[in-house]
């Protein structure tokens, strides 16, 4: 948040992220095999993005960029930087696919014609609209003004558009607009339901209504704030955003890739087929039952099912039910899956995570796409399939 002329210092209240597995997500999922959650102490806080001083009053501020973003180098009122906290397990048996940043934007990847265009996926955005626009431009999916330039390309967002970052509503506005522009060009831009969409919907609909969390009582409002909820997002949230989020699918299969947000087998609780899962999730959101919505949020906040012993079997369990040859997910940041957070170099300095690209693991059956943009990582946009 940037202070205006004549304003005093602004006090920022640090809030926790849901990078750790919260207590309400640790209740075992019934009906299929359970996979243990990781153990470990909280890790040191990585460097945070710092607000930049505003331009002098006599200067004309930069115009807002596409997606209803805030002016460059300026945080909106109500933006709260958040801390990081997640158990870390060092791993040496995983593979990270290197994706070298482009020196210049790529040519438009899709051209109108028969058959589907190339397939791209986008990891967790969490309100970082500037970073999203840069990543999309680097892949040739949008132009300098943020408009679709990718012809019949197919683009899937894997969920978690809001919270933690400064402009979650701007991200949703951009994705909604790109959906219309892509359809007009012969392609499409679609999105999946993330746990933070469920959290924002619940905070708006149910507020401080107590829910049965499985570990006592809780509220959506408290959980939303605890997990990086931003006041400026809530203030700008409109009915069109609520309707859009509530209609998102939870899981889809594309070209042999099973796309979903969370690295958990909890989707199996909601149906034996992709259609069943999506219909069940939509029905739950339609019924507006706080306890039922909380249980859905709790289960889709679980993580790490595909990591460690039994991880490949967990992926196979999902693939056997829903089809596909690989799972592609967001939710769990790659730096944590790789064990690169909380470590020190030879001089005792904290190691800053470097995310080169998607993370392939679980015997090559899972691809993680959350590049950790909220922890100075990278917002990933990747074409599928990846080379084996």
């Amino acid at each position: 948040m940037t202070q205006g002329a004549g304003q005093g210092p602004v006090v920022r209240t640090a809030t926790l992220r849901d990078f750790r597995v919260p207590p309400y997500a640790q209740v075992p999922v019934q009906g299929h095999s359970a996979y243990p959650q990781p153990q470990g102490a909280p890790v040191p806080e990585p460097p945070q993005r710092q607000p930049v001083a505003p331009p002098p009053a006599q200067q004309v501020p930069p115009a807002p960029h596409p997606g209803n973003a805030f002016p460059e180098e300026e945080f909106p009122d109500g933006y709260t930087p958040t801390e990081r906290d997640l158990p870390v397990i060092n791993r040496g048996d995983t593979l990270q696919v290197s994706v070298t940043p482009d020196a210049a934007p790529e040519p438009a990847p899709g051209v109108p014609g028969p058959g589907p265009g190339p397939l791209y996926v986008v990891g967790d955005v969490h309100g970082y609209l500037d970073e999203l626009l840069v990543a999309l431009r680097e892949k040739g999916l949008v132009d300098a003004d943020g408009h679709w330039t990718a012809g019949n390309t197919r683009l899937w967002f894997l969920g978690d558009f809001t919270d933690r970052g400064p402009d979650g509503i701007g991200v949703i506005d951009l994705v909604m607009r790109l959906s219309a522009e892509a359809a007009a060009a012969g392609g499409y831009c679609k999105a999946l339901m993330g746990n933070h969409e469920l959290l924002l919907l619940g905070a708006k609909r149910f507020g401080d209504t107590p829910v049965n969390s499985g570990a006592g009582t809780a509220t959506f409002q408290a959980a939303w704030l605890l997990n990086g909820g931003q006041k400026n997002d809530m203030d700008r949230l409109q009915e069109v955003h609520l309707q859009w989020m509530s209609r998102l699918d939870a899981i889809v299969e594309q070209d042999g890739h099973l796309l979903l947000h969370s690295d958990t087998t909890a989707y199996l609780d909601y149906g034996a087929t992709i259609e069943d899962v999506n219909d069940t999730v939509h029905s739950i959101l339609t019924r507006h039952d706080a306890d039922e919505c909380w249980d859905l949020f709790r289960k889709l906040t679980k993580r790490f099912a595909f990591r460690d012993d039994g991880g490949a079997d967990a992926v196979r369990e999902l693939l056997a039910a829903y089809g596909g040859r690989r799972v592609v997910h967001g939710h769990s940041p790659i730096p944590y899956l790789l064990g690169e957070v909380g470590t020190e170099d030879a001089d005792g300095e904290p190691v800053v995570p470097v995310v080169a690209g998607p993370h392939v693991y679980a015997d090559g059956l899972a691809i993680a796409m959350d590049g950790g943009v909220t922890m100075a990582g990278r917002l990933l946009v990747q074409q599928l399939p990846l080379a084996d």
Side-chain angles (χ1 to χ4, degrees):
M1 178 167 59
T2 302
Q3 301 169 41
Q7 289 182 333
V10 176
V11 178
R12 301 183 186 277
T13 302
T15 57
L16 298 176
R17 303 182 184 279
D18 72 348
F19 285 154
R20 68 168 181 234
V21 181
Y24 52 75
Q26 294 180 7
V27 179
V29 178
Q30 304 297 323
H32 54 83
S33 57
Y35 299 92
Q37 300 291 349
Q39 300 295 325
V43 301
E45 181 180 350
Q48 293 191 359
R49 289 173 167 79
Q50 298 296 325
V52 178
Q58 68 270 18
Q59 292 184 1
V60 178
H65 51 67
N68 196 26
F70 289 91
E72 185 178 0
E73 298 183 341
E74 181 176 326
F75 290 130
D77 288 341
Y79 170 56
T80 305
T82 52
E83 298 177 355
R84 303 174 178 88
D85 180 17
L86 180 76
V88 175
I89 294 180
N90 290 313
R91 299 299 306 271
D93 59 350
T94 53
L95 168 67
Q96 192 170 13
V97 176
S98 176
V99 180
T100 304
D102 302 308
E106 297 178 357
V111 294
L119 175 64
Y120 284 79
V121 290
V122 183
D124 300 36
V125 182
H126 281 302
Y128 285 94
L129 180 57
D130 287 335
E131 287 82 351
L132 174 59
L133 285 166
V134 169
L136 292 175
R137 282 196 295 265
E138 286 180 348
K139 297 297 182 181
L141 300 172
V142 301
D143 61 18
D145 296 321
H147 292 287
W148 184 262
T149 58
N152 65 347
T153 294
R154 298 166 294 160
L155 179 63
W156 277 97
F157 285 80
L158 300 180
D160 278 9
F161 302 98
T162 67
D163 303 339
R164 304 190 184 125
D167 196 3
I169 299 303
V171 171
I172 292 177
D173 286 339
L174 175 66
V175 177
M176 292 172 64
R177 175 169 60 75
L178 289 179
S179 297
E181 293 178 357
Y188 63 68
C189 171
K190 298 184 180 182
L192 293 177
M193 176 79 70
N195 61 305
H196 280 263
E197 282 68 67
L198 294 169
L199 188 57
L200 182 57
L201 283 167
K204 179 65 174 180
R205 289 178 174 177
F206 306 116
D208 290 323
T209 300
V211 295
N212 182 7
S213 70
T217 58
T219 70
F220 270 106
Q221 178 73 10
W224 174 69
L225 291 171
L226 182 69
N227 291 301
Q230 301 296 318
K231 181 180 182 299
N232 60 281
D233 281 345
M234 185 64 75
D235 291 344
R236 297 160 62 212
L237 188 62
Q238 300 177 25
E239 183 62 27
V240 64
H241 303 126
L242 295 171
Q243 291 295 326
W244 182 81
M245 287 189 292
S246 65
R247 292 169 181 165
L248 296 176
D249 285 339
I251 188 169
V252 68
E253 189 273 334
Q254 294 281 276
D255 297 354
H257 299 90
L258 189 63
L259 309 182
L260 40 80
H261 175 70
S262 304
D263 46 328
T264 178
T265 58
Y267 293 93
L268 294 167
D269 284 0
Y270 295 98
T273 68
I274 289 175
E275 292 76 14
D276 289 344
V277 173
N278 293 330
D279 288 346
T280 300
V281 169
H282 295 154
S283 296
I284 290 172
L285 295 178
T286 300
R287 287 193 289 270
H288 290 243
D289 181 281
D291 285 327
E292 197 174 22
C293 288
W294 179 268
D295 191 58
L296 175 63
F297 160 69
R298 176 182 67 83
K299 289 179 178 177
L300 295 191
T301 301
K302 294 177 181 292
R303 63 173 85 247
F304 300 140
F306 312 147
R307 195 182 68 173
D308 308 321
D309 294 341
D313 290 336
V315 177
R316 292 187 183 98
E317 190 177 4
L318 284 176
L319 297 177
Y322 304 132
R325 297 182 299 275
R326 268 180 168 175
V327 163
V328 183
H329 70 85
H331 191 47
S332 291
I334 290 171
Y336 290 121
L337 290 170
L338 290 170
E340 292 180 348
V341 177
T343 58
E344 298 179 348
D345 61 19
D347 297 324
E349 296 296 324
V351 174
V352 178
V354 176
V355 177
H359 172 49
V360 182
Y361 67 118
D363 291 350
L365 296 174
I367 302 173
M369 283 292 301
D370 183 352
V373 65
T374 62
M375 58 182 72
R378 186 177 175 195
L379 201 161
L380 295 179
V381 178
Q382 179 63 43
Q383 184 176 359
L384 298 176
L386 289 174
D388 292 321

